[in-house]
């Protein structure tokens, strides 16, 4: 299983600062960089311990037989790695306590089989985002709040090796000629990586983790993202095949909401999804997932979202779901919604429902088509029925801030009315945003169409409470 084996190029830098390093160790590292004169015996001991770990990682990786490593059971692999680690420690006459030895074996397995120091963060269900700002600075987001971790890479080469490992799995590359890349992990988590010369302070990775348990509308209600009445309306709109635009800023929960709403789609419908990086977790059985492709190193072979939207129209879809519209595909999406593909949904980056329509309008107008503004707005008004606006607030919580109905054109302006809104009432002593999600008292004009689809709401459903 193990023998003296030539090191692969991507194992050039395998050692890593231990994931279990505590905040005190991080603070000591920071003090060392600020004033070397403040070095203490404790700091020197920490440095020596980290250097020993680096040598052990390299020595062990030198001896791994990668030709058979994927055929070995995990428990057997762990025993063999532990045995090799014991050999190296004995040769250097350096004893190690049991817990530290187990951590060493864990870290080596992470390096060989996974993404090194990122593995425990990826396995932590409380972590939503992982943000690597250079090899010595790693942050995570938990419950909407950013916090720094003691996780570190050994050096920049080690971080670059992990980036290459991520992107090579899906046939992509990143180098000085193309210094950024969008990718995804095997579990669907979205990854963006950028390196020098664009990343001035060193390579950076942003990972938006893919929830293993997709959010449901019930779960969002329980978290306070919206009210049960609003959730009921959204379920009805999806079942009745209204076209819906989900709008919000970065990290506001647009994809989460799209996943939750899609659960109301009938299992008897054919759905085609189109994304830059596959994130949607649709539960239906009849789903065709399409993903864009970046250009090859010679600049050819790119597949844009617009190409996929056009192709989707030939695939006999009942609904088309575009993960996010960013450009020319917006026009084709509107055309699909206007030509029989009712019940389609998409998302867009915008800070309000009105801004969302403005962004769609802008994207269509930049499409090279010589269309008057009134014609573009008329297309939008007839294609889209509702806009769901989300926001990530100062306390880190993600909430639906408005559900707005597009009613008609009034002159050259698209008329809208809010059906449900989140009304802020203040901030608590611990910084939590206080407020409530409430109906505005306006009954949607689409109530008759909902009733025709067998979905009836009493007038009290849209009444202002309190």
């Amino acid at each position: 299983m193990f023998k003296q084996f030539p090191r692969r190029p991507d194992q050039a830098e395998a050692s890593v600062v231990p994931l279990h390093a505590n905040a005190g160790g991080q603070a000591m590292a920071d003090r060392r960089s600020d004033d070397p004169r403040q070095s203490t015996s404790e700091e020197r001991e920490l440095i020596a311990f980290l250097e020993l770990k680096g040598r052990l990682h390299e020595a062990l990786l030198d001896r791994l037989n990668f030709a058979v490593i994927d055929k070995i059971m995990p428990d057997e692999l762990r025993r063999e790695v532990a045995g090799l680690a014991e050999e190296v420690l004995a040769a250097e006459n350096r004893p190690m306590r049991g817990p530290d030895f187990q951590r060493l074996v864990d870290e080596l397995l992470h390096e060989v089989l996974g993404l090194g120091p990122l593995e425990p963060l990826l396995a932590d269900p409380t972590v939503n985002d992982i943000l690597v700002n250079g090899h010595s600075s790693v942050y995570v987001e938990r419950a909407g709040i950013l916090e720094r971790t003691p996780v570190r890479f050994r050096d920049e080469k080690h971080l670059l090796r992990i980036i290459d490992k991520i992107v090579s799995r899906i046939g992509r590359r990143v180098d000085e000629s193309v210094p950024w890349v969008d990718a995804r992990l095997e579990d669907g988590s979205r990854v963006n990586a950028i390196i020098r010369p664009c990343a001035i302070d060193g390579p950076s990775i942003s990972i938006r983790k893919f929830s293993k348990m997709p959010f449901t509308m019930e779960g969002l209600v329980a978290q306070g993202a919206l009210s049960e009445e609003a959730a009921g309306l959204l379920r009805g709109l999806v079942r009745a095949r209204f076209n819906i635009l989900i709008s919000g800023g970065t990290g506001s929960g647009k994809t989460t909401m799209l996943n939750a709403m899609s659960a109301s789609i009938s299992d008897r419908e054919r759905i085609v999804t189109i994304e830059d990086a596959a994130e949607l977790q649709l539960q239906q059985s009849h789903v065709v997932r399409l993903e864009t492709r970046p250009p090859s190193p010679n600049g050819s072979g790119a597949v844009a979202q617009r190409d996929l939207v056009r192709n989707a129209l030939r695939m006999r879809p009942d609904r088309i779901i575009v993960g996010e519209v960013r450009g020319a595909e917006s026009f084709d999406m509107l055309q699909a919604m206007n030509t029989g593909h009712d019940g389609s949904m998409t998302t867009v980056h915008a800070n309000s429902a009105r801004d969302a329509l403005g962004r769609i309008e802008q994207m269509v107008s930049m499409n090279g088509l010589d269309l008057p503004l009134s014609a573009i707005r008329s297309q939008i008004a007839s294609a889209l029925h509702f806009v769901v606006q989300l926001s990530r607030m100062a306390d880190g919580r993600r909430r639906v801030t408005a559900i707005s109905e597009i009613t008609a054109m009034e002159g050259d302006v698209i008329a809208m009315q809010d059906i449900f809104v989140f009304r802020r009432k203040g901030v608590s002593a611990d910084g939590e945003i206080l407020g409530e999600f409430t109906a505005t008292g306006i009954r949607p004009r689409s109530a008759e169409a909902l009733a025709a689809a067998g979905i009836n709401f009493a007038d009290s459903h849209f009444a202002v409470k309190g």
Side-chain angles (χ1 to χ4, degrees):
M1 149 79 197
F2 289 94
K3 64 181 181 180
Q4 190 67 28
F5 202 80
R7 183 187 298 179
R8 301 188 309 185
D10 66 352
Q11 262 90 46
E13 297 290 339
S15 57
V16 56
V17 174
L19 290 166
H20 63 282
N22 56 29
Q26 179 65 53
M28 284 190 292
D30 292 342
R31 289 201 300 272
R32 281 198 308 274
S33 63
D34 293 339
D35 187 353
R37 293 174 298 180
Q38 295 182 7
S39 177
T40 66
S41 60
E42 186 180 2
E43 292 174 17
R44 289 193 295 271
E45 182 180 347
L46 175 62
I47 294 172
F49 185 64
L50 299 182
E51 289 176 349
L52 170 63
K53 279 183 173 283
R55 293 196 304 274
L56 288 171
H57 276 293
E58 291 186 359
L60 290 169
L61 285 174
D62 276 339
R63 299 175 62 180
L64 285 174
N65 185 348
F66 292 98
V68 298
I69 202 168
D70 58 343
K71 303 175 184 177
I72 305 300
M73 296 296 291
D75 290 343
E76 182 182 349
L77 176 61
R78 186 180 184 85
R79 287 194 298 270
E80 295 287 352
V81 169
L84 282 176
E86 288 174 350
E87 281 183 36
V88 175
L89 286 169
E92 294 197 8
N93 194 26
R94 296 293 298 268
M96 182 177 287
R97 294 183 304 170
D100 291 334
F101 180 78
Q102 293 303 321
R103 293 188 193 104
L104 172 64
V105 174
D106 288 340
E107 290 176 14
L108 178 57
L109 289 171
H110 291 328
E111 285 291 332
V112 174
L113 302 175
L115 301 180
L118 298 180
E119 282 296 319
L121 300 180
L122 290 169
D124 187 343
T126 67
V127 172
N128 299 317
D129 291 85
I130 303 170
L131 307 171
V132 180
N133 307 328
H135 72 276
S136 61
S137 177
V138 179
Y139 286 79
V140 297
E141 181 205 280
R142 287 186 174 94
I145 305 299
L146 288 176
E147 58 184 73
R148 187 168 183 173
T149 73
V151 175
R152 296 180 65 181
F153 295 82
R154 185 186 181 192
D155 52 29
E156 193 167 309
K157 288 182 180 179
H158 182 210
L159 177 52
L160 286 170
R161 183 176 69 81
I162 295 299
I163 292 174
D164 183 66
K165 199 171 185 179
I166 292 171
V167 301
S168 62
R169 288 175 175 175
I170 59 171
R172 299 188 182 181
R173 55 176 287 186
V174 58
D175 52 33
E176 289 188 1
S177 61
V178 185
W180 62 80
V181 65
D182 287 315
R184 71 176 186 276
L185 303 182
E186 292 178 354
D187 67 353
S189 297
R190 184 174 64 194
V191 182
N192 175 271
I194 186 165
I195 66 173
R196 298 180 191 273
C198 292
I200 298 173
D201 297 322
S204 174
I205 308 176
S206 304
I207 300 177
R208 172 66 56 82
K209 285 180 61 178
F210 194 76
S211 174
K212 292 180 175 60
M213 293 294 293
F215 277 101
T216 62
M217 198 65 74
E218 292 76 14
L220 294 177
V221 171
Q223 289 185 358
L226 73 169
S227 66
E228 180 56 52
E229 291 80 8
L233 175 61
L234 293 181
R235 294 188 195 98
L237 294 176
V238 173
R239 290 199 294 268
R241 301 179 62 88
F242 284 88
N243 296 326
I244 302 171
L245 176 65
I246 300 173
S247 167
T250 300
S252 59
K254 297 186 296 298
T255 303
T256 298
M257 177 58 71
L258 187 54
N259 273 320
M261 291 174 60
S262 68
S264 298
I265 298 175
S266 169
D267 199 48
R268 294 178 292 180
E269 298 182 52
R270 176 175 169 85
I271 308 167
V272 179
T273 69
I274 299 164
E275 302 174 83
D276 271 336
E279 292 181 280
L280 294 173
Q281 296 173 281
L282 272 64
Q283 306 302 306
Q284 290 76 9
S285 58
H286 200 163
V287 179
V288 180
R289 304 169 71 205
L290 306 180
E291 187 178 52
T292 62
R293 188 178 72 181
S296 63
N298 62 12
S300 62
V303 178
Q305 280 203 133
R306 185 175 195 182
D307 301 323
L308 295 179
V309 172
R310 287 177 170 179
N311 187 78
L313 297 175
R314 306 183 183 98
M315 297 174 65
R316 198 237 167 254
D318 290 306
R319 302 187 193 229
I320 298 175
I321 298 179
V322 179
E324 181 182 340
V325 288
R326 293 190 179 96
E329 70 276 1
S330 57
F331 178 74
D332 298 277
M333 187 70 196
L334 292 177
Q335 291 293 95
M337 291 176 171
N338 272 321
T339 55
H341 298 92
D342 296 332
S344 296
M345 295 183 282
T346 187
T347 74
V348 67
H349 269 80
N351 293 324
S352 70
R354 179 63 62 183
D355 288 346
L357 299 186
R359 282 215 64 205
I360 298 291
E361 178 185 315
Q362 185 181 41
M363 285 186 276
V364 173
S365 63
M366 294 174 64
N367 205 25
L369 301 173
D370 189 18
L371 293 175
L373 203 56
S374 58
I376 295 174
R377 290 176 178 173
S378 178
Q379 284 276 338
I380 295 172
S382 60
L384 295 172
H385 302 125
F386 281 83
V387 180
V388 180
Q389 182 66 37
L390 298 103
S391 178
R392 177 182 171 184
M393 298 189 171
D395 59 0
R397 296 183 64 181
R398 297 168 173 87
R399 295 179 174 91
V400 176
T401 55
I403 299 176
S404 306
E405 182 183 27
I406 298 173
T407 56
M409 288 287 295
E410 294 182 358
D412 288 336
V413 178
I414 301 174
M416 302 175 67
Q417 60 183 12
D418 292 337
I419 308 301
F420 288 93
V421 296
F422 178 77
R423 301 193 189 281
R424 292 183 56 162
K425 294 184 176 180
V427 181
S428 69
D430 59 358
E432 181 183 357
I433 303 296
L434 302 177
E436 62 177 353
F437 201 78
T438 181
T440 60
I442 299 174
R443 186 176 178 82
R445 293 191 181 184
S446 55
E448 290 185 6
L450 284 165
I455 300 161
N456 295 284
F457 292 106
D459 290 340
S460 60
H461 194 90
F462 307 104
V464 179
K465 292 184 179 179

